[in-house]
Amino acid sequence: MASTVAILVDADACPVKEEVYRVAYRLNVPVTIVSNAHLRVPQHPLIARVVVNDGFDAADDWIVAHASDATVVVTADILLADRCLKLGATVISPAGKPFTTSSIGNAVAVRAIMADLRAGGDRIGGPPPFSKEDRSRFLSALDQALGKLLRARRA
């Protein structure tokens, strides 16, 4: 069991980085922002930035290499979520939806069906616009996940 609780953020298109920072500061939990491009991050001892090369899945591979049962991974990428769950990580989407070992199989299947529909020329809409409710749900889910991990480490 890894000893240090940490947050890993799949950051290139993440709309909740500021929320992650706020929770991390409050709970004194380190955050690593992982991206393919240089992103601005706060100058703070708890915040680290990793810029990977632009190779296919380079950010995902870095996150998987550093994920453990002591990490919360923030991502909207279903396949990355699946890989991290297999390592015991807690995974939360930016909309606040926790990915679980019970739900990930269905999410992967739906993703594959949607990809097939798009490849066949069907016009399907994307996800709904990001909302205040999504942001609030994310904050609650992140706080709950970190609280659970921190309590487990103290026990």
Side-chain angles (χ1 to χ4, degrees), residues 36-128:
N36 294 99
H38 182 82
L39 298 175
R40 295 182 75 188
V41 300
Q43 295 282 28
H44 192 281
L46 286 174
I47 310 299
R49 172 183 41 225
V50 172
V51 180
V52 297
N53 65 45
D54 60 356
F56 184 73
D57 280 347
D60 294 4
D61 292 343
W62 192 97
I63 290 169
V64 168
H66 293 86
S68 73
D69 65 343
T71 55
V72 174
V73 176
V74 178
T75 185
D77 183 326
I78 293 168
L79 297 181
L80 173 58
D82 184 39
R83 292 171 68 189
C84 292
L85 285 170
K86 288 176 180 169
L87 297 170
T90 301
V91 186
I92 304 170
S93 79
K97 177 184 171 217
F99 290 102
T100 66
T101 54
S102 300
S103 68
I104 196 68
N106 185 52
V108 170
V110 169
R111 180 190 177 281
I113 290 167
M114 298 303 265
D116 286 346
L117 290 172
R118 281 190 296 277
D122 288 331
R123 297 185 71 165
I124 52 177

Side-chain angles (χ1 to χ4, degrees), residues 137-151:
R137 193 170 33 253
F138 173 77
L139 278 167
S140 178
L142 181 60
D143 206 37
Q144 182 179 9
L146 288 170
K148 182 178 177 182
L149 287 176
L150 290 167
R151 282 190 302 279

